[in-house]
Amino acid sequence: MAKSIMIVDDHPIVREGLKMVIENTDDLEVTATASNGKDALEQLDKMEKLPDLVVVDLLMPTMDGGSLIDQLSNKTNIFILSTEINVKIAQEVIKKGIRGYLLKDESPLKIVESIQKILDDPNYIAMSPEILTTVMEKENQEIELTDQQVSLLKMIAAGDTNADIARKLFVTTRTVKNYLTVIYETLGVHNRAQAIAVAAKKNLI
């Protein structure tokens, strides 16, 4: 039985061209197309069964691909085909159930082969080399913190509370919270545990 695929892209030539390429493959069938995320969700809501894979462009009007992916996260296989390299999304492929992220300049053969491998192997993830390189460069970027910020990280690593830190620095707890917010943003984290983990990994503490 052929695997069902939905294509979501705001360019008709991309939708039709990709549909033609996919349907030349015996075990794949395009069962729906949409021009944006909102259109896609409206169609998906009416379906008894979600497609086996949804091909999503990131840059679309009305509702972009990122918003659509959030709605579909881990409900079906998601395959991004876009001109944009979104590092944040690329870093969350496993978390969001994204099985492929290819750039539109990949060959039609590679796109179809990647879709087939994704549907045949639940552990396979397809990603363009340029995207992988960008993600790795982002993760390996040097993080620069001030001496004071490093001292703060060492304090929270030692188990100091905001009140403890405030007393040591002769500032208010609100000021400490503001300091930590800046540190979290610099490290790309959301809480103390993540900050300590990243700082330790980068040999900052």
Side-chain angles (χ1 to χ4, degrees):
M1 183 176 177
K3 298 288 187 178
S4 58
I5 295 172
M6 180 182 207
I7 301 171
V8 187
D9 194 295
D10 61 321
H11 293 98
I13 191 168
V14 174
R15 291 198 305 272
E16 294 307 313
L18 187 56
K19 179 180 179 181
M20 190 186 318
V21 172
I22 290 174
E23 293 197 326
N24 277 336
T25 308
D26 292 337
D27 56 346
L28 302 177
E29 178 185 9
V30 176
T31 55
T33 62
S35 58
N36 58 64
K38 182 174 180 291
D39 180 18
L41 287 178
E42 288 173 352
Q43 292 189 51
L44 290 167
D45 283 342
K46 298 174 184 176
M47 296 180 186
E48 291 185 9
K49 179 179 177 293
L50 291 177
D52 294 303
L53 182 141
V54 179
V55 180
V56 181
D57 183 16
L58 291 179
L59 303 174
M60 295 183 291
T62 310
M63 179 189 283
D64 63 21
S67 300
L68 175 60
I69 289 168
D70 287 339
Q71 295 286 328
L72 294 178
S73 182
N74 293 306
K75 293 179 181 177
T76 187
N77 295 307
I78 299 167
F79 184 96
I80 298 172
L81 186 63
S82 182
T83 57
E84 181 191 25
I85 298 179
N86 186 308
V87 175
K88 186 174 185 296
I89 290 177
Q91 289 174 321
E92 297 181 334
V93 288
I94 296 175
K95 177 182 174 183
K96 294 193 173 185
I98 299 168
R99 301 292 311 286
Y101 189 166
L102 297 187
L103 296 176
K104 285 185 176 179
D105 58 4
E106 296 283 7
S107 71
L109 179 60
K110 179 170 181 178
I111 292 170
V112 173
E113 284 182 346
S114 296
I115 289 173
Q116 286 178 305
K117 287 178 181 178
I118 286 168
L119 293 172
D120 289 341
D121 182 353
N123 297 312
Y124 182 81
I125 295 176
M127 193 172 289
S128 289
E130 296 92 335
I131 298 172
L132 276 173
T133 300
T134 303
V135 170
M136 290 175 67
E137 287 175 350
K138 178 71 175 177
E139 291 182 346
N140 290 329
Q141 275 181 351
E142 282 193 25
I143 296 172
E144 294 186 4
L145 296 175
T146 65
D147 290 342
Q148 184 195 50
Q149 290 172 328
V150 172
S151 295
L152 273 170
L153 281 169
K154 289 178 178 178
M155 289 180 196
I156 64 174
D160 285 357
T161 65
N162 286 4
D164 294 331
I165 296 171
R167 281 194 297 271
K168 290 178 180 179
L169 298 181
F170 303 102
V171 297
T172 65
T173 55
R174 183 180 182 84
T175 299
V176 173
K177 287 181 181 177
N178 291 338
Y179 287 162
L180 292 177
T181 297
V182 173
I183 291 174
Y184 294 166
E185 289 177 354
T186 303
L187 297 177
V189 300
H190 303 289
N191 56 49
R192 284 172 169 247
Q194 291 175 349
I196 294 168
V198 171
K201 182 179 179 182
K202 299 286 185 181
N203 295 317
L204 297 171
I205 57 174

